[in-house]
Amino acid sequence: MNKINREKFTALSFFLSPMILMVVLFYLVPLVMTVYISFTRMRNWNVEKYLTEFVGFYNYQRLFYMFQHDPTFKAVILTTVVFVGITLIINVFGGLALALATFFISEKPASSFRLLWLLPRMSPIAVYSLVWYYFFHGSEIGTLNSILMKLGVISQPIPWGQTVPWGAWSIIIFVNGLVGVSFGMIVFTSALNQIPKELIIAARVDGASAWEISRKILIPLTKWHFLYVLTWQFLSLLTTYPHIFLLVQWDLVNKDYGTTLALYVFNTAFGRGEQDQGLAAAAAVILSIIGIIGGFITLKVLQFEKMMKRPRGDF
Amino acid sequence: MVKIILKEITKKFGDFTALDNINLEIDDREFMALLGPSGSGKSTLLYTIAGIYKPTSGRIYFDDRDVTEIPPKDRNVGLVFQNWALYPHMKVFDNIAFPLELRKVPKQEIEKKVREVAKMLHIENLLDRYPWQLSGGQQQRVAIARALVKEPDVLLLDEPLSNLDALLRIEVRAELKRLQKELGITAVYVTHDQAEALAMADRIAVIREGKILQVGTPDDVYYKPKYKFVGGFLGNPPMNFVEAEVENGYLRVYESRIPVPAQYKGLIEKLDIKEVLLGFRPHDAEVVKGISEGLVGEVYSFEPLGREQIVTVSVNSGAFVKVFAPEGEHFTFGEKVTVKIREDRIVLFDKKTEKALEFLGE
């Protein structure tokens, strides 16, 4: 018995150790470190001096004070809410709409159409961001400005990204939304393809239009995937910053109304000028808590438990 | 209630010809079975009647109306699938009501019609359950109810019984046949199960590789198969076939000689044919102990089935025939026996085309 147990243990540790190592190294250790640092005065990476200087909830108090009084930080919070909210809607419903649209056309054009929507995700972040940098550029070299000027719609170039708040918001939402749509599209497309063809044929024979089939059969049957995409995209939008970072760095969009909380954390910890890792860590902890709460709410609102059916017995 | 006429229907998927020049008339109120092995095109034909597939060429008529270009919803057909295709997120009531809702039938009338059809199929107590809470047989009834609730002119069934277990299948089969006759609805029934086709259909169309080989009543296709394939596909065990040579009024089968059946005498002379395939059904012959007039051979095996037994006789190395024998008789392996075939039930096929001699001219 003992020998069998030991063999089992050897086998288990052989197969599990790489994954456990990864989880510990890249998730658990950073998590613990972040929480720890958020309770210290850590700044400018001066580990020797500050890493052991405990300040209790001081960093959290600072955040709360800024939330109440600092207009820049207020802008960051507002931008995060608007950015996550609107981009999430675009991502989820845009993905669903694309999947449904391609579901009803024949396979060949459908897959090339889907491939087109994958381009933003496939291209390197810097290249992709650069395309939109030139497109929305505030001077007359900006593609959008030059088109509008040629058409005579405007006479002076408009600094789109510096028009606060909606100009800046529109650009970061547009650029990220275009990347995120493909994720929902892929998940929904595979979900739709798993629905038995007979259900759709039956509905067709009974006289259902494509719209009725979508609304009454396809969408209710992809509820699970909807929930998944919604939660996944919510969490990734909450924490994403590479595109926004570049757009702000290149001065395309306004710094205050182009910075989300995730980017704020990054800038505070690693950005130009004075770095305040203690404050950044506190903000990161808050961001994680918001993510956890938000995730739970989406599960609750969409009645996750109800989707888990009891197994069916025959007769 | 319509008569369905299929005229020269051909359906191609790319290079693959799924249906090859199909001509078929299905009478009003008739129960027509489309019988064939998997991949024969029988389901494709059903979906073509439903309007899911458009034929590459040919026309489809419902009575005098050319429906070839008409979309499925305007053909008024009810469709039942092998996997029943119930909407998993809708309760039984909503599943059955769905076709009526799409037609914008008033709510009260939907309620009335759903209850009516549910009563007819004995599922009125299941209306507020979900499909996953039902047994296979119940789901099947719901599927039929959904197809019938819109009072279709044609009921199309795609192997609706093959997901049921064997006992239930036989029960539902009788019920379905009765229902079809009571409603007086034209029904087309796709199946690969020859027993189902024989038991239920008014007529059977045997399909292979996209072609209709034979259309006829169950008796016709069973006793007068037009092709060796038809004889071999119907019946359990299927028809026996042995090679035979024609020799002055006799058929020589290896060592045995049997007289040419009366019904073929003139035909064989006229066609001047030398080599044939002799076909007969297992219950159209008897096994007699010892060597006498008939097909002589040895007992290879015997399988008691309760009321009767199947005796497999080896008439030559590699050539076997199966014959039913009464339960009481005892056989031993290797025993010399003679198979005496009922002469009037013998079917002779041309060896090359595998077509029955009486149809060779067609």
Side-chain angles (χ1 to χ4, degrees), chain A residues 196-209 212-213 215-218 220-221 309-315, chain B residues 47 52 72-73 77 79 81 83 85-90 98-99 101-102 104 132-136 139 146 150 165 168:
Chain A
K197 290 279 164 290
E198 287 85 356
L199 292 186
I200 292 128
I201 295 177
R204 265 232 170 110
V205 170
D206 289 340
S209 62
E212 282 166 322
I213 291 175
R215 198 164 57 89
K216 294 189 168 153
I217 295 162
L218 300 180
L221 286 178
K309 287 172 189 163
R310 270 186 300 147
R312 147 182 175 238
D314 241 19
F315 296 97
Chain B
Y47 289 149
I52 310 285
K73 68 184 173 82
V77 296
L79 197 47
F81 296 90
N83 63 6
L86 300 179
Y87 307 120
H89 58 293
M90 294 185 198
F98 191 65
E101 269 168 27
L102 291 173
K104 312 267 185 275
W132 49 272
Q133 294 170 311
L134 306 180
S135 70
Q139 290 191 46
R146 188 179 64 187
K150 55 179 186 176
D165 61 69
L168 195 59

